[in-house]
Amino acid sequence: MKSMTIAWIALACCAAAITAPCYGQAATGIPHLQKQGTATQLIVDGKPFLALTGELGNNTATSLENMQPIWSRLVAGNMNCVLAAISWAQMEPAEGKYEFALTDGLIQEARRNNLKLIFLWFGSWKNGLSSYAPTWVKRDYKKYPRIRIKGGRSIELLSTFGDASRDADARAFQALMRHIKEVDGQRHTVVMIQVENEVGVLRDSRDRSEAANKAFAGPVPKELMDYLQQHRDTLAPELREVWAANGSKTSGTWEEVFGPGKPDSVDMPIQTNSPPLSQEEYQAGWRKLHWPSDEFFMAWNYSKYVNKVVEQGKAGYNIPMFVNAWLQQPNMAWPGTYPCGGPLPQVHDIWRAGAPAVDLLAPDLYLQYFDEVAQRFTRNGNPFFVPETSANAANVFLAVGKYNAIGFSPFGIERSVGPDNELAAAYRVLSEMAPAILAQQGKGAIATVLMNQGDAPAKVKLGDYTLSLSYVGRGRVPIAPEPAAPAGRGQAAQAGPPQAQAGGRGGQGAQPGPAQANAILVASGPDEFFMCAGSGGMRIAFTPNSPGPATVGLGDVQEGRFVDGKWVVIRQLGGDDTGQGEILSLRANTVMRVTVYRYE
């Protein structure tokens, strides 16, 4: 069954493909990022792409043999993409000798299984250390120096002050990107690249090598100070407040401009719950900056190093590239208990100044404060992509519906992927709904509702109507594509355009629960909606927001899905399934198209 709106959605998708893109990437079939309203989308082969993906374990993709039984499970889990690591050590076992057989094999197998790839470049750093650098780099510690921490001790962590390390990493990464262009520049299986992994200093708040100490005692680079002054009104509040508290100086040493660093008397614990913290310190400490001059200093130096690597890689093949962050959190609140200098929200402006070639900054988001972290990561238009997280089906609805996420990726996916879990169900309905979502991202026409049993109805203003949504109940979680009975899972937190805020639990993210439900609602036309439910059912009533007849009736009510961009009806509903035309029942793990009309 076709409608005018379906044609409109197709036109909108085509328009998105020909609109002038952002970030300087030509509007071609090559993967690139492109603005649509307030959203940033990943464009692949001229169309927006929603990455419903998972990240493999660090060493899972180090052989094609090990990957053989995994590909089919990824497909069965309704994924359209996978994140897989490429190790610098494995790709360049001897200086200047590159081995690409594994890369080629991963690309070929991904194509065979109709999956896209996002490669993770494990170069100089992985999880704040340097275990994936080649042995020939590690052995020559004078040419490729480590950082030094308190007491002058070196650890297995390459220093940002090692130009030879940076240049060697950049050469290898450029070789990789040139090769990917050769083998995939026409097919576009590889759609994005993560550069390094969770960079930053661990076990101390900054590098204390001789070169680092000299730079720290010297002036803050004019390049950074000029950037901060030019962007003063939009700086992250954490950075702006520290700068103002120290007099908003426009020049000076790092400590003169941003305050004192970590005292020599402080020994860095592994976690900040040792020594024991009070409950207030535990809850609030991770939201504060500690020794900001140290963190700002390291953020600047990591960003400059990574920018050189990214620039060289893009010279080989210019597709979107991002950097991910190990987050500050309650038991890792002090710089050095989390990698100090990584792209956390408080230093996003420093990363933008130091690494303009990086397309987006991404959180590895395992915290229960999903909503709060997402808000901080999307400030100033930073595109939202979650490369590592837990397999929480409710959070993928929140990420896509509220924060216009490019993609969502639980870590260690090979250990949990399968056709019979809630993530697979969520990925299925989102893939079937994706054309409607992608056509409206960034236009204020999407709302997300997550609610618990017992919550008051959520009120959502969407288009010309206010929707009142009530929790229905929880049953089994159906995975098959045909319509299924109601079920529920998620957490109360509603999202969408500013006027649609309702429900919610403050900054708490959507957590699994025994009696919860979630949905994404899209206003696709003046009187038309597409909507999908996760693992919970809802009842929906409509009231008008504009002058005219006050009673709203249900017109076409269809369960279905998009196939190759076209709406395909599975069931046309009426009677008991639509409350005799007055109340809509949105069933668990289904996609619906609904038209409404007004009468008196």
Side-chain angles (χ1 to χ4, degrees):
M1 185 173 184
K2 297 181 179 179
S3 71
M4 291 294 290
T5 298
I6 305 307
W8 179 85
I9 289 175
L11 288 172
C13 291
C14 291
I18 61 175
T19 302
C22 60
Y23 308 111
Q25 173 66 55
T28 68
I30 296 173
H32 61 278
L33 298 180
Q34 180 171 284
K35 292 287 288 184
Q36 176 173 281
T38 59
T40 298
Q41 297 181 321
L42 174 62
I43 308 298
V44 180
D45 292 324
K47 297 182 294 184
F49 179 73
L50 178 61
L52 302 173
T53 186
E55 180 177 331
L56 298 167
N58 297 334
N59 304 307
T60 300
T62 54
S63 81
L64 299 179
E65 179 181 3
N66 193 57
M67 282 294 298
Q68 272 307 308
I70 296 173
W71 294 107
S72 60
R73 289 162 51 203
L74 299 174
V75 174
N78 297 317
M79 296 186 176
N80 59 16
C81 185
V82 62
L83 276 65
I86 298 291
S87 161
W88 181 13
Q90 192 171 11
M91 196 203 79
E92 191 181 7
E95 187 172 6
K97 179 183 178 182
Y98 302 120
E99 297 184 357
F100 297 118
L102 176 62
T103 302
D104 293 348
L106 292 172
I107 292 173
Q108 290 166 6
E109 287 301 312
R111 286 177 186 163
R112 188 172 290 122
N113 288 278
N114 198 31
L115 292 168
K116 298 297 185 183
L117 271 170
I118 296 173
F119 278 134
L120 317 178
W121 173 242
F122 287 0
S124 294
W125 300 295
K126 164 72 174 75
N127 286 43
L129 294 168
S130 298
S131 60
Y132 285 86
T135 301
W136 54 268
V137 169
K138 295 179 181 180
R139 283 178 173 160
D140 195 348
Y141 56 87
K142 292 190 179 297
K143 183 176 181 180
Y144 308 108
R146 271 57 160 199
I147 72 157
R148 293 187 180 273
I149 60 175
K150 181 182 177 183
R153 182 166 66 94
S154 63
I155 60 175
E156 191 68 277
L157 199 172
L158 291 172
S159 173
T160 60
F161 291 90
D163 290 353
S165 307
R166 179 200 63 201
D167 294 345
D169 187 336
R171 282 194 301 271
F173 185 57
Q174 184 179 69
L176 172 65
M177 295 310 300
R178 282 176 175 165
H179 184 79
I180 291 173
K181 183 177 182 179
E182 290 173 3
V183 300
D184 194 51
Q186 300 300 316
R187 297 285 296 275
H188 311 139
T189 303
V190 181
V191 296
M192 283 204 299
I193 303 289
Q194 177 183 292
V195 185
E196 315 296 347
N197 179 270
E198 296 180 344
V199 304
V201 176
L202 285 172
R203 305 174 194 173
D204 205 339
S205 58
R206 67 171 178 87
D207 186 352
R208 299 181 191 275
S209 65
E210 182 179 352
N213 287 339
K214 182 178 179 181
F216 187 70
V220 178
K222 184 177 184 300
E223 179 185 356
L224 175 57
M225 293 310 309
D226 287 348
Y227 184 95
L228 297 184
Q229 292 174 74
Q230 292 164 9
H231 297 83
R232 183 187 298 267
D233 293 340
T234 59
L235 294 177
E238 302 93 333
L239 188 157
R240 186 172 60 247
E241 289 166 10
V242 165
W243 188 22
N246 287 278
S248 299
K249 299 181 180 70
T250 58
S251 64
T253 68
W254 290 89
E255 290 190 309
E256 288 171 345
V257 175
F258 300 117
K262 180 175 74 68
D264 291 339
S265 60
V266 174
D267 289 321
M268 182 61 62
I270 295 174
Q271 295 187 338
T272 47
N273 54 10
S274 176
L277 304 178
S278 69
Q279 187 63 27
E280 190 280 331
E281 289 172 329
Y282 186 81
Q283 291 297 330
W286 72 275
R287 294 181 171 93
K288 300 177 181 177
L289 289 182
H290 307 266
W291 318 306
S293 60
D294 290 358
E295 183 160 20
F296 297 172
F297 173 72
M298 292 314 309
W300 176 252
N301 287 290
Y302 274 105
S303 66
K304 294 294 286 184
Y305 185 118
V306 171
N307 193 66
K308 176 67 177 294
V309 176
V310 171
E311 284 182 335
Q312 292 291 95
K314 287 192 170 186
Y317 185 31
N318 187 3
I319 62 174
M321 298 185 185
F322 66 94
V323 182
N324 65 324
W326 172 339
L327 298 179
Q328 186 179 13
Q329 49 201 280
N331 62 346
M332 297 172 183
W334 294 349
T337 59
Y338 62 89
C340 180
L344 279 77
Q346 59 262 32
V347 293
H348 275 188
D349 297 292
I350 296 175
W351 271 82
R352 289 189 186 97
V358 174
D359 294 295
L360 63 99
L361 306 170
D364 289 353
L365 213 176
Y366 298 96
L367 298 180
Q368 62 176 318
Y369 315 101
F370 190 97
D371 202 26
E372 178 179 344
V373 174
Q375 289 174 18
R376 295 177 72 197
F377 262 83
T378 51
R379 293 184 303 209
N380 288 328
N382 182 53
F384 195 52
F385 178 69
V386 186
E388 282 191 36
T389 188
S390 56
N392 186 321
N395 279 344
V396 68
F397 276 76
L398 190 62
V400 172
K402 183 174 183 179
Y403 294 104
N404 300 316
I406 287 171
F408 185 90
S409 177
F411 176 72
I413 195 63
E414 70 276 20
R415 297 192 293 268
S416 61
V417 69
D420 300 319
N421 59 38
E422 292 185 0
L423 183 69
Y427 276 12
R428 177 182 60 77
V429 295
L430 286 172
S431 66
E432 293 173 355
M433 176 85 163
I437 294 171
L438 293 168
Q440 297 299 329
Q441 275 188 337
K443 299 179 180 180
I446 301 177
T448 301
V449 178
L450 295 92
M451 62 192 312
N452 293 313
Q453 184 178 22
D455 283 349
K459 302 286 187 179
V460 178
K461 185 177 180 182
L462 200 59
D464 293 330
Y465 298 88
T466 294
L467 285 62
S468 178
L469 300 99
S470 302
Y471 176 86
V472 171
R474 182 176 177 83
R476 70 183 181 90
V477 180
I479 307 299
E482 56 269 11
R489 188 176 181 91
Q491 171 163 351
Q494 193 276 328
Q499 68 272 21
Q501 301 301 316
R505 288 192 176 181
Q508 297 293 321
Q511 300 302 306
Q516 301 173 332
N518 49 46
I520 293 179
L521 314 169
V522 178
S524 50
D527 299 303
E528 182 181 60
F529 300 85
F530 285 92
M531 53 188 69
C532 65
S535 52
M538 298 182 184
R539 287 166 63 85
I540 306 175
F542 296 80
T543 56
N545 298 326
S546 57
T551 305
V552 179
L554 299 178
D556 288 328
V557 180
Q558 302 164 341
E559 289 182 356
R561 58 177 175 264
F562 282 93
V563 177
D564 296 329
K566 296 181 179 179
W567 177 247
V568 176
V569 178
I570 296 173
R571 288 202 305 167
Q572 183 84 23
L573 302 180
D576 293 342
D577 286 321
T578 63
Q580 312 308 319
E582 295 181 342
I583 297 290
L584 179 70
S585 293
L586 179 59
R587 298 159 63 88
N589 298 297
T590 58
V591 180
M592 300 184 75
R593 172 183 172 265
V594 179
T595 64
V596 296
Y597 61 92
R598 297 167 62 175
Y599 66 94
E600 59 185 18

